[in-house]
């Protein structure tokens, strides 16, 4: 029985490592190619050079796309955090008819395929007259990010002792005051994690952006356009920076989660 369990654990470990290597292979290829001195995509790189990073940061189009992506992700993730937190609190603590239906509506963008969501955004925004505008793009990204914020904040609010809220209510605090001055100060790690998650989601979004952005450029949209025209090695530099950015976001997320656990323990 012990030998069988050992073989089972060993096979599971080997399969896990094989999947991990398979997922990391593109990164292990793309990252070295971004430092290549070749004039086209070539692996392994014949020599070391920063020419593609110089080409990236020397391009006004790429710089504009990067600034747009940062501004868009910051605004949409912040709005999504506010709206998603309010919705999560109402869905968790509220008791009203249709609550399950409302919760399912919030979760819909996570379930519906991206292309269907993009077409729905296109039709709705065209009728509203905001198709191709920056605030329409912000609204689209916010709609995509809110469900993830709701999911994270619902779990955090469920884990918060409701008796503390009840004590605040007996002292005359309103629901909004309880949320702002009692709940959120104790759930800031979850709120920070939700914001980071929404930021990364917005920064990497491409399908909905292609449908509703109009002339506004973002990093993923620019990458998609470049790949349609030609396979420019500058793409490898952009991809490497995006990988580094996502890894940094993951590290910050883990740090925030660790600080949150220490905060809950009173350290």
């Amino acid at each position: 029985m012990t030998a069988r369990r050992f073989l089972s654990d060993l096979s599971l470990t080997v399969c896990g490592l094989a999947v991990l290597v398979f997922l990391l292979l593109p990164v292990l290829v793309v990252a070295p190619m971004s430092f290549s001195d070749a004039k086209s995509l070539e692996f392994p790189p014949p020599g070391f050079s920063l020419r593609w990073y110089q080409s990236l940061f020397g391009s006004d189009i790429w710089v504009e796309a990067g600034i747009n992506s940062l501004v868009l992700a910051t605004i949409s993730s912040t709005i999504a955090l506010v709206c998603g937190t309010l919705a999560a609190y109402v869905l968790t603590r509220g008791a009203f008819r249709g609550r399950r239906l409302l919760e399912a509506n919030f979760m819909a963008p996570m379930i519906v395929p991206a292309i269907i969501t993009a077409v729905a955004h296109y039709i709705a925004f065209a009728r509203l007259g905001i198709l191709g505008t920056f605030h329409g793009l912000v609204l689209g990204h916010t709609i995509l990010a809110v469900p993830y914020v709701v999911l994270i904040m619902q779990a955090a609010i469920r884990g918060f002792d409701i008796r503390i809220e009840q004590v605040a209510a007996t002292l005359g605090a309103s629901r909004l005051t309880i949320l702002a001055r009692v709940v959120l100060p104790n759930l800031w790690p979850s709120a920070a994690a939700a914001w980071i998650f929404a930021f990364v989601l917005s920064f990497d979004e491409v399908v909905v952006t292609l449908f509703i952005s109009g002339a506004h450029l973002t990093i993923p949209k620019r990458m998609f356009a470049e790949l349609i025209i030609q396979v420019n090695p500058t793409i490898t530099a952009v991809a490497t920076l995006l990988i580094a950015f996502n890894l940094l976001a993951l590290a910050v997320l883990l740090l925030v989660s660790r600080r949150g656990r220490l905060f809950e323990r009173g350290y």
Side-chain angles (χ1 to χ4, degrees):
M1 192 69 180
T2 304
R4 182 178 296 179
R5 183 174 181 181
F6 173 77
L7 290 175
S8 176
D9 292 342
L10 180 62
S11 61
L12 184 62
T13 302
V14 171
C15 289
L17 290 174
V19 171
L20 181 62
V21 171
F22 177 77
L23 294 175
L24 286 177
L25 274 178
V27 179
L28 299 177
V29 172
V30 170
M33 287 174 63
S34 69
F35 296 99
S36 173
D37 62 354
K39 294 183 179 180
S40 60
L41 297 180
E42 186 177 340
F43 187 85
F48 177 83
S49 175
L50 295 175
R51 61 181 297 183
W52 302 120
Y53 289 92
Q54 293 172 349
S55 174
L56 171 63
F57 291 108
S59 171
D60 293 336
I61 297 177
W62 279 111
V63 171
E64 178 191 354
I67 293 173
N68 286 342
S69 291
L70 288 172
V71 173
L72 174 62
T74 301
I75 296 174
S76 62
S77 58
T78 302
I79 298 174
L81 178 63
V82 175
C83 297
T85 301
L86 291 173
Y89 188 74
V90 171
L91 292 172
T92 304
R93 297 293 191 234
F96 53 90
R97 186 174 299 176
R99 183 169 66 89
R100 293 298 182 186
L101 181 61
L102 182 61
E103 185 174 5
N105 182 66
F106 273 107
M107 296 300 109
M110 299 175 62
I111 303 169
V112 177
I115 187 66
I116 297 177
T117 303
V119 172
H121 276 69
Y122 181 88
I123 296 172
F125 287 8
R127 292 184 177 181
L128 292 172
I130 58 175
L131 185 65
T133 63
F134 188 77
H135 54 275
L137 189 56
V138 170
L139 178 60
H141 280 225
T142 301
I143 293 172
L144 294 176
V146 163
Y148 296 91
V149 176
V150 171
L151 197 64
I152 294 171
M153 294 308 295
Q154 268 190 305
I157 293 170
R158 286 195 188 102
F160 186 70
D161 193 347
I162 194 173
R163 292 174 296 181
I164 300 176
E165 299 176 47
Q166 293 170 344
V167 170
T170 60
L171 295 175
S174 64
R175 281 284 187 180
L176 190 59
T177 302
I178 292 172
L179 177 62
R181 304 187 65 177
V182 177
V183 178
L184 287 181
N186 289 281
L187 299 182
W188 68 264
S190 297
W195 186 88
I196 294 171
F197 205 95
F199 183 93
V200 173
L201 181 73
S202 173
F203 195 90
D204 291 340
E205 173 56 39
V206 63
V207 178
V208 173
T209 303
L210 286 172
F211 274 76
I212 66 174
S213 61
H216 298 285
L217 282 177
T218 63
I219 289 289
K221 180 182 176 181
R222 180 62 185 171
M223 291 179 68
F224 187 81
E226 283 281 332
L227 290 173
I228 291 177
I229 299 172
Q230 63 176 350
V231 183
N232 191 324
T234 306
I235 293 292
T236 59
V238 181
T240 302
L241 289 177
L242 285 179
I243 292 169
F245 174 79
N246 287 328
L247 288 175
L248 178 62
L250 178 61
V252 173
L253 192 60
L254 293 174
L255 179 61
V256 168
S257 299
R258 182 175 179 273
R259 289 286 182 89
R261 288 192 294 269
L262 293 176
F263 180 78
E264 290 174 358
R265 296 171 184 172
Y267 292 110

